[in-house]
Amino acid sequence: MSDSQEDLIVPRKWHDALPRESWKQFERVGTGHSWFEVYRVTTDVYALYEPGQFQEVISYLVLGGERACLVDTGFGMGDMRGLVDELTDLPITVVNTHTHVDHVAENNLFDDVAVFDHPFARENAVTGRDHESVKRSLSEGMVWKPLPEGFNADMWYIPPFRVTRWLHDGDTVDLGGRTLEVHHTPGHSPDSICLLDREARLFWTGDIFYNAPLYVYGATADLDDFIESYRKMVALSRHYNWLLPGHNETYVDKEVLARVFKTAEDIRAGEGGEYREQDRRGTVIHRYDREGFAIIVRAP
Ligand SMILES: [Zn+2]
Protein backbone atom coordinates (compact mmCIF):
# COMPACT_ATOMS: atom_id res chain seq x y z
CA MET A 1 0.00 0.00 0.00
CA SER A 2 1.43 3.38 -0.92
CA ASP A 3 1.27 6.22 1.56
CA SER A 4 -1.20 8.17 -0.52
CA GLN A 5 -3.66 5.29 -0.85
CA GLU A 6 -6.33 5.11 1.85
CA ASP A 7 -6.39 1.80 3.72
CA LEU A 8 -9.70 0.12 2.92
CA ILE A 9 -9.87 -1.55 6.34
CA VAL A 10 -8.41 0.98 8.81
CA PRO A 11 -8.90 4.51 7.51
CA ARG A 12 -6.40 7.06 8.74
CA LYS A 13 -7.98 9.15 11.54
CA TRP A 14 -10.87 6.69 11.83
CA HIS A 15 -11.76 8.31 15.17
CA ASP A 16 -12.66 11.59 13.44
CA ALA A 17 -16.07 9.91 12.97
CA LEU A 18 -16.47 9.87 16.77
CA PRO A 19 -18.56 10.46 18.72
CA ARG A 20 -21.16 8.90 16.45
CA GLU A 21 -24.33 10.96 16.35
CA SER A 22 -26.68 7.98 16.73
CA TRP A 23 -25.58 7.24 20.31
CA LYS A 24 -27.07 10.53 21.49
CA GLN A 25 -30.60 9.11 21.26
CA PHE A 26 -29.92 6.85 24.28
CA GLU A 27 -29.62 7.59 27.97
CA ARG A 28 -25.94 7.44 28.96
CA VAL A 29 -25.32 5.56 32.20
CA GLY A 30 -22.44 6.73 34.38
CA THR A 31 -20.18 3.96 35.70
CA GLY A 32 -16.79 3.69 37.35
CA HIS A 33 -15.38 2.19 34.13
CA SER A 34 -14.47 4.98 31.74
CA TRP A 35 -13.11 2.66 29.03
CA PHE A 36 -16.73 1.74 28.33
CA GLU A 37 -19.53 4.03 27.33
CA VAL A 38 -22.73 2.48 28.69
CA TYR A 39 -26.09 3.30 27.16
CA ARG A 40 -29.61 2.17 27.96
CA VAL A 41 -30.89 0.98 24.57
CA THR A 42 -34.23 -0.11 26.04
CA THR A 43 -35.30 -0.19 29.71
CA ASP A 44 -33.70 -3.62 30.20
CA VAL A 45 -30.91 -3.72 27.60
CA TYR A 46 -27.58 -1.95 28.09
CA ALA A 47 -25.06 -1.43 25.31
CA LEU A 48 -21.46 -1.65 26.59
CA TYR A 49 -19.55 0.25 23.94
CA GLU A 50 -15.74 0.48 23.55
CA PRO A 51 -15.17 3.51 21.30
CA GLY A 52 -11.51 3.88 22.34
CA GLN A 53 -10.25 1.15 20.01
CA PHE A 54 -10.66 1.00 16.24
CA GLN A 55 -13.07 -1.97 16.34
CA GLU A 56 -15.57 0.00 18.47
CA VAL A 57 -16.85 -3.26 19.95
CA ILE A 58 -20.34 -3.35 21.46
CA SER A 59 -21.32 -5.98 24.03
CA TYR A 60 -24.79 -6.05 25.58
CA LEU A 61 -26.24 -6.74 28.99
CA VAL A 62 -29.80 -8.08 28.65
CA LEU A 63 -31.82 -8.25 31.86
CA GLY A 64 -34.34 -11.04 32.38
CA GLY A 65 -36.49 -11.88 35.41
CA GLU A 66 -34.01 -14.34 36.92
CA ARG A 67 -30.79 -14.01 34.98
CA ALA A 68 -28.99 -11.53 32.81
CA CYS A 69 -27.39 -12.39 29.50
CA LEU A 70 -24.07 -10.79 28.62
CA VAL A 71 -23.91 -10.88 24.84
CA ASP A 72 -20.11 -11.00 24.27
CA THR A 73 -17.38 -10.00 26.71
CA GLY A 74 -15.52 -7.35 24.71
CA PHE A 75 -11.92 -6.84 23.69
CA GLY A 76 -10.30 -7.19 27.10
CA MET A 77 -8.91 -3.70 27.67
CA GLY A 78 -11.61 -2.70 30.13
CA ASP A 79 -12.87 -4.49 33.22
CA MET A 80 -16.02 -6.13 31.84
CA ARG A 81 -16.61 -8.21 34.96
CA GLY A 82 -16.45 -5.16 37.23
CA LEU A 83 -18.70 -3.19 34.90
CA VAL A 84 -21.36 -5.91 34.73
CA ASP A 85 -21.31 -6.35 38.52
CA GLU A 86 -21.93 -2.64 38.84
CA LEU A 87 -24.96 -2.79 36.53
CA THR A 88 -26.81 -5.84 37.87
CA ASP A 89 -27.04 -8.29 40.78
CA LEU A 90 -28.57 -10.99 38.58
CA PRO A 91 -26.54 -14.12 37.83
CA ILE A 92 -24.87 -13.80 34.42
CA THR A 93 -24.97 -16.11 31.42
CA VAL A 94 -22.48 -15.14 28.72
CA VAL A 95 -23.57 -15.89 25.15
CA ASN A 96 -21.01 -15.18 22.44
CA THR A 97 -22.17 -14.08 19.00
CA HIS A 98 -18.96 -15.77 17.72
CA THR A 99 -15.49 -16.46 19.04
CA HIS A 100 -13.38 -13.80 17.33
CA VAL A 101 -11.02 -12.28 19.91
CA ASP A 102 -12.80 -8.95 20.26
CA HIS A 103 -15.96 -10.70 21.51
CA VAL A 104 -14.58 -13.29 23.95
CA ALA A 105 -11.65 -11.56 25.64
CA GLU A 106 -13.12 -11.71 29.16
CA ASN A 107 -15.07 -14.98 28.87
CA ASN A 108 -12.66 -16.54 31.36
CA LEU A 109 -13.99 -14.25 34.12
CA PHE A 110 -17.50 -15.73 33.97
CA ASP A 111 -18.81 -19.07 35.26
CA ASP A 112 -21.60 -19.64 32.77
CA VAL A 113 -20.58 -19.35 29.11
CA ALA A 114 -22.65 -20.50 26.12
CA VAL A 115 -21.07 -20.73 22.66
CA PHE A 116 -22.24 -22.11 19.32
CA ASP A 117 -21.01 -25.67 18.85
CA HIS A 118 -18.56 -25.56 15.96
CA PRO A 119 -14.96 -26.84 15.69
CA PHE A 120 -13.76 -23.26 15.14
CA ALA A 121 -15.27 -22.19 18.48
CA ARG A 122 -14.07 -25.30 20.29
CA GLU A 123 -10.53 -24.58 19.15
CA ASN A 124 -10.67 -20.90 20.17
CA ALA A 125 -11.97 -21.82 23.63
CA VAL A 126 -8.99 -24.11 24.19
CA THR A 127 -6.24 -21.97 22.71
CA GLY A 128 -7.20 -18.36 23.41
CA ARG A 129 -4.78 -16.05 21.58
CA ASP A 130 -1.25 -15.16 22.61
CA HIS A 131 0.14 -11.65 22.85
CA GLU A 132 1.99 -11.82 19.52
CA SER A 133 -1.17 -12.55 17.56
CA VAL A 134 -3.29 -9.78 19.09
CA LYS A 135 -0.85 -6.96 19.86
CA ARG A 136 -1.48 -5.29 16.48
CA SER A 137 -4.88 -4.17 17.80
CA LEU A 138 -3.08 -1.87 20.26
CA SER A 139 -0.51 -0.55 17.80
CA GLU A 140 -0.04 3.05 16.68
CA GLY A 141 -3.30 4.54 15.42
CA MET A 142 -5.55 1.72 16.65
CA VAL A 143 -6.30 3.12 20.11
CA TRP A 144 -7.68 6.57 20.59
CA LYS A 145 -8.63 6.84 24.27
CA PRO A 146 -6.16 6.33 27.13
CA LEU A 147 -6.06 2.64 28.07
CA PRO A 148 -7.53 1.88 31.49
CA GLU A 149 -5.28 2.15 34.51
CA GLY A 150 -3.94 -1.26 35.46
CA PHE A 151 -4.23 -2.63 31.92
CA ASN A 152 -0.87 -4.01 30.81
CA ALA A 153 -0.59 -3.55 27.05
CA ASP A 154 2.74 -5.43 26.87
CA MET A 155 1.27 -8.56 28.41
CA TRP A 156 -2.22 -8.43 26.91
CA TYR A 157 -3.53 -11.70 25.47
CA ILE A 158 -6.85 -13.53 25.13
CA PRO A 159 -7.12 -16.28 27.78
CA PRO A 160 -8.68 -19.66 26.97
CA PHE A 161 -12.10 -20.13 28.52
CA ARG A 162 -14.43 -22.80 29.78
CA VAL A 163 -17.69 -23.34 27.89
CA THR A 164 -20.57 -24.59 30.05
CA ARG A 165 -23.14 -24.92 27.28
CA TRP A 166 -22.66 -25.66 23.59
CA LEU A 167 -25.47 -24.04 21.61
CA HIS A 168 -27.20 -25.34 18.49
CA ASP A 169 -29.42 -23.72 15.89
CA GLY A 170 -32.92 -23.23 17.33
CA ASP A 171 -31.84 -23.43 20.99
CA THR A 172 -33.20 -20.92 23.47
CA VAL A 173 -31.59 -19.12 26.38
CA ASP A 174 -34.10 -18.63 29.20
CA LEU A 175 -33.55 -15.57 31.40
CA GLY A 176 -36.82 -15.93 33.34
CA GLY A 177 -39.72 -14.22 31.58
CA ARG A 178 -37.44 -13.48 28.66
CA THR A 179 -36.22 -15.87 25.99
CA LEU A 180 -33.46 -15.44 23.46
CA GLU A 181 -33.50 -17.72 20.39
CA VAL A 182 -30.27 -18.89 18.79
CA HIS A 183 -30.04 -18.67 14.99
CA HIS A 184 -26.88 -19.97 13.32
CA THR A 185 -25.74 -17.37 10.77
CA PRO A 186 -22.26 -18.25 9.43
CA GLY A 187 -20.50 -16.14 6.81
CA HIS A 188 -18.45 -13.68 8.89
CA SER A 189 -17.21 -16.67 10.88
CA PRO A 190 -18.43 -20.29 10.85
CA ASP A 191 -19.64 -20.09 14.47
CA SER A 192 -21.62 -16.84 14.18
CA ILE A 193 -25.11 -16.66 15.64
CA CYS A 194 -27.85 -14.09 15.86
CA LEU A 195 -30.07 -13.85 18.94
CA LEU A 196 -33.77 -13.10 18.61
CA ASP A 197 -36.01 -11.70 21.33
CA ARG A 198 -39.47 -11.99 19.72
CA GLU A 199 -41.29 -10.28 22.53
CA ALA A 200 -39.05 -7.21 22.56
CA ARG A 201 -38.65 -7.45 18.74
CA LEU A 202 -34.86 -7.16 19.05
CA PHE A 203 -32.25 -9.00 16.95
CA TRP A 204 -28.58 -9.21 17.97
CA THR A 205 -26.50 -9.65 14.81
CA GLY A 206 -22.94 -9.99 16.13
CA ASP A 207 -20.60 -9.29 13.22
CA ILE A 208 -22.72 -10.51 10.34
CA PHE A 209 -24.21 -7.05 10.30
CA TYR A 210 -22.98 -3.68 11.62
CA ASN A 211 -22.96 -0.16 10.13
CA ALA A 212 -19.48 -0.30 8.65
CA PRO A 213 -17.51 -2.34 6.14
CA LEU A 214 -18.62 -5.96 6.51
CA TYR A 215 -15.62 -8.30 6.42
CA VAL A 216 -16.34 -11.26 4.17
CA TYR A 217 -12.68 -11.72 3.17
CA GLY A 218 -10.90 -13.18 6.20
CA ALA A 219 -9.73 -16.77 6.59
CA THR A 220 -12.91 -17.70 8.48
CA ALA A 221 -15.36 -15.85 6.19
CA ASP A 222 -17.41 -17.32 3.36
CA LEU A 223 -19.56 -15.41 0.87
CA ASP A 224 -21.92 -18.32 0.11
CA ASP A 225 -22.59 -18.84 3.84
CA PHE A 226 -23.00 -15.09 4.26
CA ILE A 227 -25.68 -14.98 1.58
CA GLU A 228 -27.56 -17.98 3.00
CA SER A 229 -27.48 -16.41 6.46
CA TYR A 230 -28.92 -13.18 5.08
CA ARG A 231 -31.69 -15.15 3.41
CA LYS A 232 -32.51 -16.56 6.84
CA MET A 233 -32.20 -13.20 8.66
CA VAL A 234 -34.49 -11.45 6.19
CA ALA A 235 -37.03 -14.30 6.44
CA LEU A 236 -37.04 -13.90 10.24
CA SER A 237 -37.41 -10.14 10.07
CA ARG A 238 -41.17 -10.14 10.60
CA HIS A 239 -40.33 -11.05 14.22
CA TYR A 240 -38.08 -8.08 15.00
CA ASN A 241 -37.73 -4.36 14.30
CA TRP A 242 -34.28 -3.41 15.54
CA LEU A 243 -30.76 -4.73 14.99
CA LEU A 244 -28.20 -4.73 17.80
CA PRO A 245 -24.82 -5.25 16.10
CA GLY A 246 -21.40 -6.05 17.56
CA HIS A 247 -19.66 -2.85 16.41
CA ASN A 248 -19.99 0.92 15.95
CA GLU A 249 -23.70 1.70 16.31
CA THR A 250 -26.80 0.06 17.68
CA TYR A 251 -30.58 -0.01 17.38
CA VAL A 252 -30.36 -0.01 13.59
CA ASP A 253 -33.51 -0.24 11.45
CA LYS A 254 -33.86 -3.74 10.02
CA GLU A 255 -34.50 -2.45 6.47
CA VAL A 256 -30.77 -2.43 5.74
CA LEU A 257 -30.58 -6.25 5.83
CA ALA A 258 -32.48 -6.67 2.57
CA ARG A 259 -30.06 -4.27 0.89
CA VAL A 260 -26.99 -6.11 2.20
CA PHE A 261 -28.53 -9.39 1.01
CA LYS A 262 -29.13 -8.01 -2.49
CA THR A 263 -25.64 -6.47 -2.68
CA ALA A 264 -23.97 -9.73 -1.60
CA GLU A 265 -25.90 -11.67 -4.22
CA ASP A 266 -24.95 -9.12 -6.88
CA ILE A 267 -21.26 -9.37 -5.89
CA ARG A 268 -21.34 -13.16 -6.14
CA ALA A 269 -22.95 -12.91 -9.59
CA GLY A 270 -20.19 -10.50 -10.68
CA GLU A 271 -22.73 -7.66 -10.84
CA GLY A 272 -21.71 -5.66 -7.77
CA GLY A 273 -20.64 -2.67 -9.86
CA GLU A 274 -17.72 -0.46 -8.93
CA TYR A 275 -15.30 -1.55 -6.23
CA ARG A 276 -11.95 -0.55 -4.78
CA GLU A 277 -9.13 -3.08 -4.69
CA GLN A 278 -6.26 -3.58 -2.27
CA ASP A 279 -3.62 -6.21 -1.61
CA ARG A 280 -3.52 -6.98 2.10
CA ARG A 281 -0.49 -9.11 2.88
CA GLY A 282 -1.17 -11.37 -0.07
CA THR A 283 -4.97 -11.33 0.02
CA VAL A 284 -6.51 -9.17 -2.67
CA ILE A 285 -9.75 -7.63 -1.46
CA HIS A 286 -12.58 -5.84 -3.22
CA ARG A 287 -14.63 -3.26 -1.34
CA TYR A 288 -18.16 -2.40 -2.49
CA ASP A 289 -19.63 0.72 -0.86
CA ARG A 290 -23.31 1.29 -0.38
CA GLU A 291 -25.43 3.74 1.65
CA GLY A 292 -24.87 2.85 5.34
CA PHE A 293 -22.60 -0.16 4.80
CA ALA A 294 -19.90 -1.71 2.64
CA ILE A 295 -19.00 -5.30 1.83
CA ILE A 296 -15.38 -6.43 1.53
CA VAL A 297 -14.75 -9.75 -0.19
CA ARG A 298 -11.73 -11.66 -1.43
CA ALA A 299 -11.09 -11.06 -5.12
CA PRO A 300 -12.60 -13.97 -7.08
ZN1 LIG B 1 -15.85 -10.99 14.25
Side-chain angles (χ1 to χ4, degrees):
M1 185 180 60
S2 74
D3 244 22
S4 59
Q5 191 188 4
E6 183 75 313
D7 188 328
L8 296 186
I9 307 292
V10 186
R12 210 170 296 131
K13 296 189 180 171
W14 57 272
H15 41 79
D16 280 358
L18 303 178
R20 297 183 186 279
E21 196 65 24
S22 65
W23 286 98
K24 293 185 182 136
Q25 67 185 297
F26 308 113
E27 177 198 342
R28 174 106 183 245
V29 179
T31 72
H33 300 270
S34 60
W35 177 252
F36 297 95
E37 289 183 12
V38 176
Y39 295 89
R40 216 184 254 274
V41 178
T42 68
T43 47
D44 45 19
V45 176
Y46 295 102
L48 318 174
Y49 174 45
E50 302 181 54
Q53 200 277 343
F54 165 69
Q55 296 289 352
E56 294 182 61
V57 176
I58 312 172
S59 309
Y60 295 89
L61 184 64
V62 186
L63 307 180
E66 286 155 27
R67 300 190 72 79
C69 180
L70 178 59
V71 180
D72 292 336
T73 60
F75 215 166
M77 292 120 202
D79 171 10
M80 181 64 88
R81 178 79 235 196
L83 174 66
V84 166
D85 286 345
E86 197 178 312
L87 293 169
T88 185
D89 293 329
L90 292 168
I92 306 292
T93 297
V94 168
V95 177
N96 293 117
T97 58
H98 61 303
T99 58
H100 280 158
V101 289
D102 46 334
H103 300 267
V104 302
E106 297 189 45
N107 272 21
N108 67 312
L109 302 179
F110 294 87
D111 300 327
D112 191 22
V113 176
V115 176
F116 188 77
D117 192 1
H118 187 282
F120 176 71
R122 285 187 178 260
E123 186 184 334
N124 288 334
V126 171
T127 58
R129 291 283 288 277
D130 64 13
H131 178 70
E132 278 305 304
S133 65
V134 292
K135 65 178 185 187
R136 222 182 114 255
S137 293
L138 293 179
S139 61
E140 179 71 35
M142 296 295 272
V143 177
W144 166 75
K145 280 193 353 183
L147 287 159
E149 222 172 289
F151 172 76
N152 187 341
D154 299 325
M155 297 280 287
W156 177 59
Y157 72 108
I158 311 297
F161 53 88
R162 200 165 63 89
V163 176
T164 42
R165 181 179 174 193
W166 291 102
L167 298 168
H168 301 94
D169 189 49
D171 279 358
T172 55
V173 178
D174 182 5
L175 305 179
R178 176 171 216 154
T179 304
L180 303 178
E181 293 175 19
V182 174
H183 294 277
H184 185 213
T185 49
H188 169 80
S189 73
D191 62 344
S192 286
I193 58 171
C194 292
L195 293 169
L196 172 63
D197 181 337
R198 288 183 194 234
E199 199 134 324
R201 299 189 63 79
L202 301 176
F203 195 58
W204 284 265
T205 57
D207 282 6
I208 194 150
F209 175 77
Y210 45 71
N211 281 92
L214 299 164
Y215 301 171
V216 198
Y217 68 90
T220 65
D222 183 278
L223 184 60
D224 290 331
D225 283 353
F226 185 86
I227 289 169
E228 286 320 303
S229 291
Y230 266 80
R231 194 184 309 286
K232 192 169 165 181
M233 290 154 68
V234 169
L236 276 171
S237 66
R238 66 182 185 281
H239 299 299
Y240 58 82
N241 296 338
W242 302 103
L243 311 176
L244 292 87
H247 295 274
N248 298 48
E249 296 183 90
T250 194
Y251 216 62
V252 178
D253 194 308
K254 67 179 177 183
E255 65 76 30
V256 68
L257 294 187
R259 293 191 290 120
V260 176
F261 181 33
K262 167 86 168 70
T263 302
E265 286 199 301
D266 288 348
I267 292 170
R268 185 171 62 180
E271 293 163 7
E274 271 181 43
Y275 57 83
R276 286 182 284 162
E277 183 175 270
Q278 200 160 79
D279 189 328
R280 292 187 65 82
R281 297 175 231 112
T283 302
V284 179
I285 58 168
H286 289 173
R287 173 173 166 154
Y288 297 81
D289 282 274
R290 295 289 189 273
E291 179 72 38
F293 68 93
I295 298 180
I296 303 176
V297 298
R298 286 186 291 268

